[in-house]
Short mmCIF file of all heavy atoms in Angstrom, two decimals:
data_model
loop_
_atom_site.label_atom_id
_atom_site.label_comp_id
_atom_site.label_asym_id
_atom_site.label_seq_id
_atom_site.Cartn_x
_atom_site.Cartn_y
_atom_site.Cartn_z
N LEU A 186 38.49 100.16 72.38
CA LEU A 186 37.91 98.89 72.95
C LEU A 186 38.07 98.93 74.46
O LEU A 186 39.00 99.57 74.97
CB LEU A 186 38.65 97.69 72.32
CG LEU A 186 38.66 97.52 70.94
CD1 LEU A 186 39.55 96.32 70.41
CD2 LEU A 186 37.22 97.18 70.47
N LYS A 187 37.10 98.31 75.11
CA LYS A 187 37.22 98.25 76.62
C LYS A 187 37.05 96.75 76.98
O LYS A 187 36.24 96.01 76.49
CB LYS A 187 36.13 99.04 77.19
CG LYS A 187 36.27 100.56 76.97
CD LYS A 187 35.16 101.38 77.70
CE LYS A 187 35.41 102.95 77.40
NZ LYS A 187 34.31 103.73 78.08
N ARG A 188 37.85 96.38 78.06
CA ARG A 188 37.88 95.08 78.49
C ARG A 188 36.71 94.74 79.50
O ARG A 188 36.59 95.52 80.37
CB ARG A 188 39.20 94.68 79.00
CG ARG A 188 39.34 93.19 79.48
CD ARG A 188 40.69 93.02 80.21
NE ARG A 188 41.78 93.41 79.45
CZ ARG A 188 42.43 92.71 78.46
NH1 ARG A 188 41.89 91.53 78.26
NH2 ARG A 188 43.47 93.09 77.81
N ASP A 189 36.21 93.59 79.47
CA ASP A 189 35.20 93.18 80.41
C ASP A 189 35.42 91.70 80.57
O ASP A 189 34.98 90.81 79.76
CB ASP A 189 33.78 93.36 80.04
CG ASP A 189 32.78 92.87 81.09
OD1 ASP A 189 33.23 92.59 82.21
OD2 ASP A 189 31.63 92.76 80.63
N VAL A 190 36.18 91.22 81.70
CA VAL A 190 36.56 89.87 81.84
C VAL A 190 35.55 89.18 82.81
O VAL A 190 35.36 89.62 83.85
CB VAL A 190 38.00 89.64 82.35
CG1 VAL A 190 38.41 88.24 82.51
CG2 VAL A 190 38.94 90.34 81.38
N GLN A 191 35.03 88.00 82.38
CA GLN A 191 34.18 87.28 83.37
C GLN A 191 34.80 85.96 83.61
O GLN A 191 35.41 85.31 82.84
CB GLN A 191 32.83 87.09 82.62
CG GLN A 191 31.91 88.30 82.38
CD GLN A 191 30.67 87.91 81.80
OE1 GLN A 191 30.37 86.77 81.38
NE2 GLN A 191 29.72 88.98 81.80
N THR A 192 34.68 85.51 84.87
CA THR A 192 35.13 84.21 85.24
C THR A 192 33.97 83.39 85.76
O THR A 192 32.99 83.91 86.31
CB THR A 192 36.22 84.25 86.41
OG1 THR A 192 35.71 84.95 87.48
CG2 THR A 192 37.47 85.01 85.83
N THR A 193 34.10 82.07 85.66
CA THR A 193 32.99 81.11 86.06
C THR A 193 33.57 80.28 87.13
O THR A 193 34.56 79.61 86.90
CB THR A 193 32.47 80.32 84.89
OG1 THR A 193 31.94 81.29 83.92
CG2 THR A 193 31.25 79.51 85.35
N GLU A 194 32.86 80.17 88.24
CA GLU A 194 33.39 79.23 89.39
C GLU A 194 32.60 77.95 89.24
O GLU A 194 31.46 77.84 88.76
CB GLU A 194 33.10 79.88 90.74
CG GLU A 194 33.65 81.23 90.89
CD GLU A 194 35.13 81.18 91.08
OE1 GLU A 194 35.71 80.04 91.40
OE2 GLU A 194 35.95 82.12 90.96
N ALA A 195 33.29 76.90 89.56
CA ALA A 195 32.74 75.52 89.59
C ALA A 195 31.63 75.44 90.68
O ALA A 195 31.56 76.25 91.63
CB ALA A 195 33.73 74.45 89.79
N ASP A 196 30.89 74.28 90.61
CA ASP A 196 29.94 74.14 91.69
C ASP A 196 30.49 73.72 93.01
O ASP A 196 31.73 73.64 93.13
CB ASP A 196 28.88 73.14 91.26
CG ASP A 196 29.53 71.74 90.85
OD1 ASP A 196 30.61 71.57 91.49
OD2 ASP A 196 28.91 71.08 90.06
N GLU A 197 29.64 73.41 93.98
CA GLU A 197 30.26 73.17 95.36
C GLU A 197 31.13 72.00 95.35
O GLU A 197 31.95 71.86 96.29
CB GLU A 197 29.01 73.00 96.27
CG GLU A 197 28.22 74.27 96.49
CD GLU A 197 27.04 73.98 97.49
OE1 GLU A 197 26.96 72.87 97.92
OE2 GLU A 197 26.35 75.04 97.78
N SER A 198 30.99 70.99 94.50
CA SER A 198 31.83 69.76 94.54
C SER A 198 33.27 70.20 94.20
O SER A 198 34.18 69.33 94.47
CB SER A 198 31.33 68.79 93.63
OG SER A 198 31.34 69.26 92.25
N ASN A 199 33.41 71.30 93.42
CA ASN A 199 34.80 71.72 93.06
C ASN A 199 34.97 73.12 93.64
O ASN A 199 35.25 73.99 92.88
CB ASN A 199 35.03 71.64 91.54
CG ASN A 199 34.99 70.20 91.02
OD1 ASN A 199 35.86 69.42 91.54
ND2 ASN A 199 34.11 69.82 90.19
N LEU A 200 34.69 73.31 94.82
CA LEU A 200 34.66 74.73 95.34
C LEU A 200 35.94 75.46 95.14
O LEU A 200 37.07 74.92 95.44
CB LEU A 200 34.34 74.58 96.86
CG LEU A 200 34.16 75.94 97.55
CD1 LEU A 200 32.88 76.66 96.97
CD2 LEU A 200 33.97 75.74 99.04
N GLY A 201 35.81 76.69 94.53
CA GLY A 201 36.99 77.47 94.37
C GLY A 201 37.78 77.26 93.19
O GLY A 201 38.75 77.97 92.92
N PHE A 202 37.40 76.24 92.32
CA PHE A 202 38.14 75.89 91.13
C PHE A 202 37.62 76.66 89.96
O PHE A 202 36.51 76.46 89.55
CB PHE A 202 38.22 74.36 90.93
CG PHE A 202 38.97 74.03 89.75
CD1 PHE A 202 40.40 74.05 89.79
CD2 PHE A 202 38.34 73.58 88.60
CE1 PHE A 202 41.07 73.65 88.67
CE2 PHE A 202 39.09 73.08 87.50
CZ PHE A 202 40.43 73.20 87.56
N LYS A 203 38.44 77.45 89.26
CA LYS A 203 37.97 78.14 88.12
C LYS A 203 37.92 77.25 86.89
O LYS A 203 38.98 76.68 86.54
CB LYS A 203 38.86 79.39 87.86
CG LYS A 203 38.77 80.49 88.92
CD LYS A 203 39.51 81.64 88.54
CE LYS A 203 39.39 82.71 89.56
NZ LYS A 203 40.20 83.87 89.30
N VAL A 204 36.78 77.03 86.24
CA VAL A 204 36.72 76.10 85.21
C VAL A 204 36.87 76.90 83.80
O VAL A 204 36.93 76.12 82.78
CB VAL A 204 35.32 75.36 85.18
CG1 VAL A 204 35.26 74.52 86.45
CG2 VAL A 204 34.18 76.38 85.16
N GLY A 205 36.89 78.09 83.83
CA GLY A 205 37.01 78.75 82.51
C GLY A 205 36.86 80.19 82.66
O GLY A 205 36.43 80.75 83.71
N PHE A 206 37.19 80.90 81.54
CA PHE A 206 36.90 82.34 81.62
C PHE A 206 36.58 82.81 80.14
O PHE A 206 36.91 82.17 79.15
CB PHE A 206 38.24 83.09 82.07
CG PHE A 206 39.29 83.04 81.14
CD1 PHE A 206 39.51 84.17 80.28
CD2 PHE A 206 40.29 82.05 81.11
CE1 PHE A 206 40.57 84.13 79.33
CE2 PHE A 206 41.26 81.99 80.20
CZ PHE A 206 41.48 83.10 79.35
N LYS A 207 36.04 83.94 80.10
CA LYS A 207 35.64 84.55 78.82
C LYS A 207 35.91 85.95 78.84
O LYS A 207 35.50 86.69 79.75
CB LYS A 207 34.11 84.25 78.53
CG LYS A 207 33.57 84.81 77.20
CD LYS A 207 32.22 84.36 76.92
CE LYS A 207 31.21 84.74 77.93
NZ LYS A 207 29.92 84.34 77.47
N SER A 208 36.57 86.49 77.85
CA SER A 208 36.89 87.89 77.71
C SER A 208 35.85 88.56 76.84
O SER A 208 35.54 88.01 75.77
CB SER A 208 38.29 88.13 77.23
OG SER A 208 39.26 87.53 78.03
N LEU A 209 35.37 89.67 77.20
CA LEU A 209 34.32 90.42 76.52
C LEU A 209 35.00 91.83 76.15
O LEU A 209 35.45 92.53 77.13
CB LEU A 209 33.03 90.65 77.18
CG LEU A 209 32.36 89.27 77.65
CD1 LEU A 209 31.10 89.67 78.39
CD2 LEU A 209 32.03 88.43 76.41
N ILE A 210 34.86 92.30 74.97
CA ILE A 210 35.27 93.63 74.62
C ILE A 210 34.32 94.23 73.82
O ILE A 210 33.64 93.77 72.92
CB ILE A 210 36.64 93.48 73.69
CG1 ILE A 210 37.75 92.85 74.47
CG2 ILE A 210 37.01 94.86 73.23
CD1 ILE A 210 39.07 92.87 73.66
N GLY A 211 34.00 95.51 74.33
CA GLY A 211 32.89 96.27 73.67
C GLY A 211 33.58 97.41 72.88
O GLY A 211 34.62 98.04 73.18
N ILE A 212 32.91 97.71 71.69
CA ILE A 212 33.42 98.84 70.88
C ILE A 212 32.24 99.75 70.52
O ILE A 212 31.18 99.28 70.18
CB ILE A 212 34.16 98.26 69.66
CG1 ILE A 212 34.59 99.41 68.82
CG2 ILE A 212 33.24 97.35 68.87
CD1 ILE A 212 35.36 99.09 67.57
N GLY A 213 32.47 101.00 70.66
CA GLY A 213 31.38 101.96 70.33
C GLY A 213 31.33 102.22 68.84
O GLY A 213 32.40 102.54 68.36
N VAL A 214 30.19 102.09 68.26
CA VAL A 214 30.13 102.34 66.83
C VAL A 214 28.95 103.28 66.57
O VAL A 214 27.90 103.27 67.28
CB VAL A 214 29.99 101.09 66.01
CG1 VAL A 214 31.26 100.22 66.08
CG2 VAL A 214 28.82 100.26 66.38
N ASP A 215 28.96 103.93 65.43
CA ASP A 215 27.82 104.89 65.07
C ASP A 215 26.85 104.09 64.29
O ASP A 215 27.19 103.46 63.23
CB ASP A 215 28.25 106.05 64.28
CG ASP A 215 29.17 107.00 65.20
OD1 ASP A 215 28.75 107.21 66.33
OD2 ASP A 215 30.12 107.56 64.78
N ASP A 216 25.53 104.05 64.62
CA ASP A 216 24.41 103.48 63.92
C ASP A 216 23.80 104.56 63.06
O ASP A 216 23.16 105.49 63.55
CB ASP A 216 23.42 102.92 64.89
CG ASP A 216 22.31 102.17 64.14
OD1 ASP A 216 22.21 102.39 62.89
OD2 ASP A 216 21.48 101.37 64.66
N LYS A 217 24.18 104.48 61.72
CA LYS A 217 23.78 105.64 60.74
C LYS A 217 22.33 105.68 60.64
O LYS A 217 21.67 106.79 60.39
CB LYS A 217 24.43 105.36 59.45
CG LYS A 217 25.97 105.48 59.46
CD LYS A 217 26.53 105.25 58.06
CE LYS A 217 28.05 105.38 58.06
NZ LYS A 217 28.60 105.22 56.73
N SER A 218 21.59 104.58 60.83
CA SER A 218 20.11 104.58 60.59
C SER A 218 19.42 105.33 61.81
O SER A 218 18.38 106.04 61.57
CB SER A 218 19.58 103.22 60.57
OG SER A 218 19.78 102.43 61.67
N SER A 219 19.94 105.21 63.02
CA SER A 219 19.30 105.87 64.14
C SER A 219 20.03 107.07 64.71
O SER A 219 19.62 107.72 65.65
CB SER A 219 19.03 104.83 65.23
OG SER A 219 20.30 104.35 65.69
N ASN A 220 21.27 107.29 64.10
CA ASN A 220 22.16 108.35 64.66
C ASN A 220 22.47 108.24 66.17
O ASN A 220 22.61 109.22 66.84
CB ASN A 220 21.51 109.73 64.48
CG ASN A 220 21.49 110.06 62.93
OD1 ASN A 220 22.40 109.77 62.18
ND2 ASN A 220 20.42 110.69 62.56
N GLN A 221 22.51 106.95 66.66
CA GLN A 221 22.79 106.66 67.99
C GLN A 221 24.10 105.95 68.08
O GLN A 221 24.63 105.26 67.22
CB GLN A 221 21.72 105.89 68.66
CG GLN A 221 20.43 106.66 68.79
CD GLN A 221 19.34 105.75 69.44
OE1 GLN A 221 19.43 104.55 69.55
NE2 GLN A 221 18.31 106.44 69.88
N ARG A 222 24.69 106.12 69.28
CA ARG A 222 25.89 105.30 69.59
C ARG A 222 25.50 103.96 70.20
O ARG A 222 24.78 103.84 71.22
CB ARG A 222 26.75 106.08 70.71
CG ARG A 222 28.16 105.61 70.84
CD ARG A 222 29.10 105.92 69.70
NE ARG A 222 30.49 105.69 70.08
CZ ARG A 222 31.42 105.82 69.13
NH1 ARG A 222 31.17 106.04 67.84
NH2 ARG A 222 32.72 105.59 69.42
#
Side-chain angles (χ1 to χ4, degrees):
L186 301 173
K187 295 182 179 179
R188 183 191 302 278
D189 178 14
V190 180
Q191 294 182 350
T192 59
T193 303
E194 301 290 341
D196 56 25
E197 293 182 358
S198 61
N199 291 301
L200 187 61
F202 180 72
K203 293 183 179 180
V204 297
F206 71 94
K207 178 170 62 176
S208 298
L209 303 176
I210 294 183
I212 178 172
V214 296
D215 292 321
D216 185 343
K217 294 182 180 179
S218 61
S219 62
N220 292 322
Q221 293 181 342
R222 192 75 168 169

